[in-house]
Amino acid sequence: MRQLRYKRYAMLCSLLSVIWLTSGLAGANESLSGKPESEPLKPHGAVSEAKPQGKGASQARMGTAHKVAGVVHLPVTLVGKDGAPMVLVAAGEFTMGSPQGDDDEQPVHRVLLDSFYLDTFEVTNGRFAKFVAAIQSEPPWGFADQDTPVLHAEQPVRWVTWLEAQSYCLWAGKRLPTEAEWEKAARGTDGRTYPWGQEPPTPAHAVFGLKEGAETVAPIGDREKGLSPYGVHDLAGNLYEWVTDWYDDAFYTPQPTVNPRGPAEGTTKVQRGGSYINSPYRLRAAFRTKGDPTEHDPHVGFRCAQDAPPLPDAGRADRP
């Protein structure tokens, strides 16, 4: 049964990937699959860094960029095709890695990213249930009964494999974030240790240091003090999050600097953010760990990302 389930999601993921690519959603990333440029490039779609957005911030569906006083801007928030709110992470450089962390967090290096959107919250049981119904698949292991996505609709979905997470994002017209995108969304451009700053975590910042059990997983957006610089919730604690990259403990050594997308192949996928059972050390924005992409884990969830639309020539950062 498990092998059949794996093959089904692998086939679905492949099919959705083809649709995603041919529809143009991945067009902005096609040039990134090759070797990074030796000199830093200016990103497309550059805008000023976004201010943090609260849970009740206004949202707009993806549309054309708006122009104010001759400057073209991307919308700071939007709503994805799955109904989930998303926030803009503006193009620019940030510091990736930590000199105080594990060996795989070093060397510390500067990375340049294009603008992108990230889900404000982790994907919930309620949203994932709609995906399961739409593709007529078996629910994740975490749905022990039919009541789970109803009674705990606002809790982040867990027990999902990397393939299931990727399939959901593609189904929603999105993708999993890269490891670099995830870290920038979590720590911003000032090199902070945690999404909220340098202050050690407390129960008001994140869900961590608890025992096993479904009752220890908090609903999304339940820790307002834990907001990232861009207004993203729950990037520390509650659940680890899958990202798209294969894991390599030496990947930072070559120091890819422009839109890094991880190794070309591997055996495990990167997980970020720490979970409800972890100590503050694993809640750091630079902390890296890994997991088998076919395994179900009660400590792992995910959120989706989406490319920012190309700006008109007047708004391109690489134009005078």
Side-chain angles (χ1 to χ4, degrees), residues 1 4 8 29 33 51 68 76 82 86 143 149 173 185 188 201 206 211-212 225 232-233 256 261-263 299 305:
M1 180 64 73
L4 179 63
R8 183 169 184 174
N29 290 330
S33 57
K51 294 181 180 180
V68 179
V76 175
D82 57 351
M86 306 185 78
F143 289 10
K211 296 180 179 180
E212 294 279 6
K225 289 190 69 175
V232 183
H233 289 254
R261 303 190 66 80
H299 311 128

Side-chain angles (χ1 to χ4, degrees), residues 89 94 96 113 116 118-119 122 175-188 193 195 228 230 232-237 239-245 260 270-274 282-288 301-305:
V89 178
F94 80 105
M96 191 170 185
L113 296 178
F116 66 96
L118 187 68
D119 284 350
E122 292 167 314
R175 57 178 174 78
L176 285 173
T178 66
E179 185 175 17
E181 288 174 337
W182 191 99
E183 186 167 329
K184 183 179 181 182
R187 70 190 314 191
T193 300
S228 85
Y230 301 96
V232 183
H233 289 254
D234 306 319
L235 287 171
L239 293 179
Y240 280 110
E241 297 180 13
W242 290 113
V243 296
T244 194
D245 303 42
V270 176
Q271 297 169 349
R272 288 299 202 108
R282 287 180 172 247
L283 270 60
R284 295 178 302 109
F287 181 78
R288 309 174 71 210
F302 71 101
R303 73 181 74 220
C304 304

Side-chain angles (χ1 to χ4, degrees), residues 98-113:
S98 171
Q100 288 81 39
D102 296 335
D103 290 344
D104 64 354
E105 300 172 34
Q106 302 171 27
V108 175
H109 55 289
R110 298 288 288 175
V111 170
L112 183 66
L113 296 178

Side-chain angles (χ1 to χ4, degrees), residues 267-281:
T267 58
T268 56
K269 289 288 187 177
V270 176
Q271 297 169 349
R272 288 299 202 108
S275 78
Y276 62 90
I277 64 170
N278 292 133
S279 66
Y281 184 80

Side-chain angles (χ1 to χ4, degrees), residues 73-156:
H73 293 279
L74 291 169
V76 175
T77 60
L78 60 83
V79 177
K81 292 182 179 179
D82 57 351
M86 306 185 78
V87 296
L88 175 68
V89 178
E93 284 189 319
F94 80 105
T95 300
M96 191 170 185
S98 171
Q100 288 81 39
D102 296 335
D103 290 344
D104 64 354
E105 300 172 34
Q106 302 171 27
V108 175
H109 55 289
R110 298 288 288 175
V111 170
L112 183 66
L113 296 178
D114 288 339
S115 296
F116 66 96
Y117 288 91
L118 187 68
D119 284 350
T120 307
F121 309 103
E122 292 167 314
V123 174
T124 62
N125 286 322
R127 295 196 190 284
F128 199 84
K130 294 178 181 179
F131 163 67
V132 169
I135 67 169
Q136 299 181 358
S137 177
E138 293 184 14
W141 287 10
F143 289 10
D145 52 56
Q146 297 295 323
D147 293 333
T148 299
V150 177
L151 298 179
H152 304 290
E154 291 302 300
Q155 285 189 1

Side-chain angles (χ1 to χ4, degrees), residues 189-206:
T189 59
D190 58 6
R192 59 185 60 191
T193 300
Y194 302 101
W196 54 86
Q198 300 301 110
E199 179 185 353
T202 70
H205 293 102

Side-chain angles (χ1 to χ4, degrees), residues 60-66 72-75 77-79 117 306-312:
R61 290 195 176 274
M62 178 71 78
T64 57
H66 59 278
V72 180
H73 293 279
L74 291 169
T77 60
L78 60 83
V79 177
Y117 288 91
Q306 184 168 304
D307 296 336
L311 288 171

